[in-house]
Amino acid sequence: MSILSVGLSGLLTSRDALSVTSSNVANANNPAYKRQVLKQASGLSQFLLGGYVGQGVQSTGVDRVTNQFLYNQILKTGSESQYASTLKGQLSRVDEIFADGNNALADAMTAFTNAAQDLSLRPADNPSRQQFLSSTQFLVEQFNSVSGRFDAVRRDNTEQIQFTVNQINDLTGNIADLNKSIAKSYLTGDGKGVPLNLLDQREDLILQLSEKVDVQVIEGERGELNILMRQGQPLVTFDKAYSLLALSDASDPETTVIARDPETGGAPIRFANKNLGRGELSALLEFRDTAINQYQNTLGLMALSIHDQVNAIQAGGVELVDDPGPPAANVPGKPLLSFAKNTSDPLDNGFSRVVANAFNSDANTRLAVGTVNTSTLQSNEYEVFVLNNAGTPEVRYRPLGSKSAGQVATDLGGGNYQVPDAFTFSISGGAFVPGDSFQVKLTAKAALNLRLENLGTDQVATRAPGASVGDNTQVLKMTRVLDQATLFQRAGSSGISVRDTFSRLLTTVGNDVRVADNSAKTSLGVLESLNAEQSAQSGVNLDEEAAKLIQYQQAYSANAKIISLSKELFDDLLTAVR
C-alpha cells in the first residue's frame, strides 16, 4: 500500500472520529443518549524487507458505551423509587385533610363535649340547648367533610390508575415498534448496522416503563428486547405489545382491577396486585386497597358509634316540658342523629355498602345489613358467600380479601344471619346458592351520610324519666360519648374511646407518611447514585470530548500532510525520470 493510501485511510478514519465526537457533543444534554465511540482496526500488514509493515487504519463501526448490569439495576431501583414516591404522594393528600384548618374534626369533637358539659350545668337553659345542637351539627358536618374528601382522593386515585394503564400501553406499543425497526436493520450478531439512536430510544422507553410497572428484560436473537412483568407475564414479545386493561371488579364495580387483554377471545386475564411488583401502578392500588380503605372505615366506625350512643341516650331520656307532671313528663327522646339513605332502596341503611357479585346466580337476591356491634367489631369489611360443604350449602363469611374457607354464619331463621360480635344481615329476594357472594363494607358510608335530625331545643332529652326539669342525668352521659371505651372491645381488652380511636388514626396516617417519605428518600438516593455511575460511564463529558476533538483534528491534519508529502514525492520522482 502506498504512502498516499495510508494517509488517506488515516484521514478518513480521523474524519469519522470527528463526526462521532461531534455527535457526542451535540447530545451532551440528551439524557437518553449513550456516548458513542468509533471502532478502529489496523489495515492488513504487508511483508517488506524481512518484516511486516502496517498499511494504515480503517473504521469498523460505532459502539454505544453501555453497562447492561448497571442498566438492569436502574430498572429495578427506578420501580422501587417510583413506587415509594407515588405512595408518599397519595398518603400526603390524606395527611393534608387532617392538617387543613388545624384539624377541624378534632375541634368539632372538643366543641361537642364542651357544649354537652355546659348543658349539663344548665339543662333547662334554651341557649345552652341551642349551642349543643349547633355543636352536634358542626361535628356531623366535619365527619361529612372529611369523608367527602376521602371520596375525592379515591376518585382521583381511580383516574390515576386508568391514566397509568394508558401510559403503560403507549410505552409497550412504542417499544414493540422499535423492536421491529431494530430487527430489520440487525445485520450481524454484534449489532452492526443497527441505528444507535433507536437503541437509545428503546432503552429510555423501557426506563419510563419500569417506573410504571416492575419489569424484566430478555434479549432476543434479532436484537429485540422482550419485556416481562416480574411474575413472568409478557408485556412485549418482539413486535407484539400486550395491552393492560383497567376494569371494574365483578365483585365491586367501584373498584378498578388490572387485567390483560387475551386478544384471542375469552375473558380478560386478571392480575393479582402482588404480581405487579413495584412501580407507580402498584403503589396506586396498594394505597386504595389498604390505606384509604382503613382510614375511611375507621372514620365510619367512629361516626356509627357516636350515632348509636347519642340516640341510645336520647331514647333513655325524656324531652323538656314546662310542666314536668304526667303525661307529658315522660315523652321519650327522639333520635338526634340519622343516616341519609337511598329512598329508592328500602334495604339501604345509610351507613353500609353492600355489593352483589356480578356473577351471582340471581340478580334479585339482596343482602341487607341489620345491626352492627360497634363495640366488638374488629373488621369493617367482609365477604358473605355460600360454600357447598359435602353437599350442604352453608352461608359463610370471611374478611374481605381473605382466601380462607371462612366461618359459618349463625342462622337466626327466616333468612336472617349473624356474624358473631360483628353484625346481623338478611338474605331476601331470590336464591343464594354456592358460588354467590356479597361484599359487605359495614361502615363505608357512615361518616359521609351522618345527619342531625331536625329537632327543637326542647327535644334534647337531658333528663331521666320522671325527673325534674333541672335533672341532667342524660346529658351527663352525652359528655362521655367520645371518651368511653366503646370501640375494639375483645377478650382481655376493655377497648378504646372514639376520641382515642381518632388520635390513633392521626398517628397511623402520620406514621404511614413518614415511613413512605423515608422510603422515597432512600430509594431516590440509591437511584441517583446509580444514575450518576451510569452517567460517568455512558454519558458525555464535554471536557473529554473537547480534548478528543483536538486530538482527532491534529490527526486529520497530520494525515493530510502525509497525503501532501506523497504528492511531493511523486512529483519529485516524475522530475527525476524526465
Side-chain angles (χ1 to χ4, degrees):
M1 181 179 284
S2 66
I3 294 176
L4 175 62
S5 298
V6 170
L8 183 60
S9 71
L11 185 74
L12 294 176
T13 302
S14 297
R15 180 203 62 186
D16 293 342
L18 284 168
S19 178
V20 171
T21 305
S22 297
S23 179
N24 287 340
V25 172
N27 284 277
N29 296 316
N30 180 358
Y33 183 81
K34 297 297 185 295
R35 181 166 53 87
Q36 299 176 4
V37 294
L38 180 70
K39 294 191 294 182
Q40 303 178 36
S42 299
L44 294 174
S45 298
Q46 181 181 10
F47 186 79
L48 182 67
L49 300 177
Y52 287 89
V53 178
Q55 296 296 305
V57 67
Q58 61 180 343
S59 301
T60 60
V62 180
D63 274 345
R64 298 161 66 244
V65 179
T66 61
N67 182 325
Q68 193 61 42
F69 175 79
L70 184 58
Y71 178 71
N72 289 336
Q73 289 295 107
I74 291 174
L75 289 180
K76 183 172 179 58
T77 306
S79 295
E80 292 280 356
S81 179
Q82 191 62 33
Y83 170 88
S85 175
T86 301
L87 190 58
K88 172 194 171 185
Q90 295 286 294
L91 289 167
S92 295
R93 291 197 59 188
V94 176
D95 195 40
E96 291 169 2
I97 291 174
F98 292 119
D100 283 356
N102 298 319
N103 200 336
L105 181 55
D107 294 342
M109 293 171 70
T110 299
F112 173 83
T113 300
N114 289 343
Q117 290 173 341
D118 182 67
L119 182 57
S120 70
L121 299 176
R122 293 178 291 275
D125 182 56
N126 193 63
S128 297
R129 287 171 165 269
Q130 183 59 58
Q131 181 60 40
F132 175 74
L133 289 176
S134 298
S135 297
T136 305
Q137 178 64 32
F138 181 47
L139 179 62
V140 167
E141 289 172 351
Q142 293 313 306
F143 271 108
N144 298 162
S145 174
V146 172
S147 187
R149 294 181 68 178
F150 277 160
D151 283 344
V153 171
R154 190 186 298 275
R155 287 191 297 270
D156 289 346
N157 174 270
T158 299
E159 291 177 1
Q160 283 186 264
I161 290 172
Q162 180 65 69
F163 182 70
T164 302
V165 167
N166 292 340
Q167 288 182 309
I168 291 172
N169 291 337
D170 288 343
L171 289 168
T172 55
N174 291 334
I175 292 169
D177 291 341
L178 284 172
N179 270 344
K180 186 175 182 179
S181 299
I182 289 169
K184 285 182 178 179
S185 58
Y186 199 83
L187 302 180
T188 67
D190 63 358
K192 182 179 180 181
V194 177
L196 300 185
N197 66 305
L198 297 185
L199 299 180
D200 286 343
Q201 291 175 30
R202 186 175 63 180
E203 282 195 359
D204 185 54
L205 290 177
I206 295 173
L207 277 174
Q208 294 179 47
L209 180 63
S210 71
E211 294 178 354
K212 307 300 177 185
V213 63
D214 210 347
V215 298
Q216 53 182 321
V217 181
I218 301 175
E219 186 170 4
E221 296 179 352
R222 292 167 290 181
E224 77 274 12
L225 295 180
N226 299 313
I227 314 298
L228 308 178
M229 297 171 72
R230 280 293 165 187
Q231 298 298 319
Q233 300 87 351
L235 289 174
V236 179
T237 56
F238 187 44
D239 61 349
K240 177 67 174 177
Y242 296 88
S243 296
L244 294 186
L245 303 173
L247 305 174
S248 295
D249 190 353
S251 59
D252 183 359
E254 291 189 8
T255 298
T256 299
V257 296
I258 307 304
R260 199 188 82 193
D261 188 351
E263 300 189 5
T264 56
I269 304 168
R270 178 175 171 178
F271 292 129
N273 292 351
K274 64 181 181 181
N275 290 340
L276 298 174
R278 295 301 197 185
E280 181 179 351
L281 182 58
S282 179
L284 292 170
L285 293 168
E286 181 172 332
F287 170 76
R288 180 199 66 192
D289 294 340
T290 56
I292 193 69
N293 280 351
Q294 175 191 349
Y295 304 155
Q296 197 160 24
N297 285 336
T298 299
L299 192 72
L301 179 61
M302 293 165 52
L304 184 57
S305 176
I306 292 172
H307 167 277
D308 291 352
Q309 290 186 73
V310 167
N311 285 351
I313 293 170
Q314 278 283 112
V318 293
E319 297 179 356
L320 177 68
V321 292
D322 293 334
D323 181 2
N330 290 311
V331 175
K334 298 178 179 62
L336 187 61
L337 298 175
S338 62
F339 291 104
K341 301 177 183 179
N342 180 358
T343 55
S344 63
D345 183 3
L347 298 183
D348 181 29
N349 62 18
F351 58 85
S352 299
R353 183 166 179 268
V354 178
V355 184
N357 192 303
F359 299 114
N360 281 357
S361 59
D362 190 337
N364 294 318
T365 304
R366 301 289 304 279
L367 184 150
V369 174
T371 59
V372 176
N373 190 338
T374 57
S375 297
T376 55
L377 188 66
Q378 302 300 317
S379 175
N380 291 40
E381 298 184 341
Y382 289 86
E383 180 184 12
V384 175
F385 61 103
V386 181
L387 181 70
N388 194 337
N389 184 10
T392 302
E394 294 178 340
V395 176
R396 296 191 171 210
Y397 65 91
R398 60 191 173 195
L400 191 59
S402 170
K403 300 301 181 183
S404 70
Q407 296 175 280
V408 179
T410 303
D411 191 344
L412 302 178
N416 297 300
Y417 299 87
Q418 181 180 38
V419 175
D421 297 326
F423 67 104
T424 62
F425 64 94
S426 62
I427 302 292
S428 62
F432 195 38
V433 299
D436 292 352
S437 65
F438 287 89
Q439 284 193 10
V440 181
K441 301 182 178 183
L442 294 172
T443 62
K445 301 189 297 183
L448 183 66
N449 288 346
L450 187 64
R451 296 290 186 270
L452 176 67
E453 288 290 282
N454 186 23
L455 300 184
T457 56
D458 59 340
Q459 292 177 296
V460 178
T462 55
R463 62 193 180 94
S468 67
V469 170
D471 180 66
N472 64 359
T473 300
Q474 296 304 105
V475 74
L476 281 175
K477 296 178 182 178
M478 290 286 189
T479 66
R480 298 190 289 269
V481 163
L482 301 180
D483 298 298
Q484 296 181 111
T486 55
L487 299 176
F488 302 108
Q489 297 174 358
R490 59 182 182 272
S493 173
S494 59
I496 61 176
S497 67
V498 171
R499 200 186 306 273
D500 287 343
T501 297
F502 184 58
S503 296
R504 289 190 181 186
L505 175 59
L506 296 181
T507 300
T508 298
V509 172
N511 286 340
D512 289 347
V513 171
R514 280 190 290 273
V515 170
D517 183 53
N518 290 336
S519 179
K521 288 178 180 177
T522 299
S523 57
L524 180 60
V526 174
L527 181 61
E528 289 177 341
S529 177
L530 291 172
N531 282 331
E533 185 176 351
Q534 183 188 56
S535 179
Q537 294 184 22
S538 304
V540 176
N541 184 308
L542 288 175
D543 291 337
E544 291 181 1
E545 299 304 314
K548 288 179 181 178
L549 285 173
I550 296 173
Q551 174 189 345
Y552 296 141
Q553 183 183 26
Q554 290 174 341
Y556 187 93
S557 298
N559 281 288
K561 185 66 175 175
I562 292 175
I563 294 172
S564 177
L565 176 61
S566 70
K567 181 178 182 300
E568 291 175 8
L569 291 176
F570 184 71
D571 289 343
D572 290 345
L573 179 60
L574 289 177
T575 300
V577 298
R578 285 176 182 170

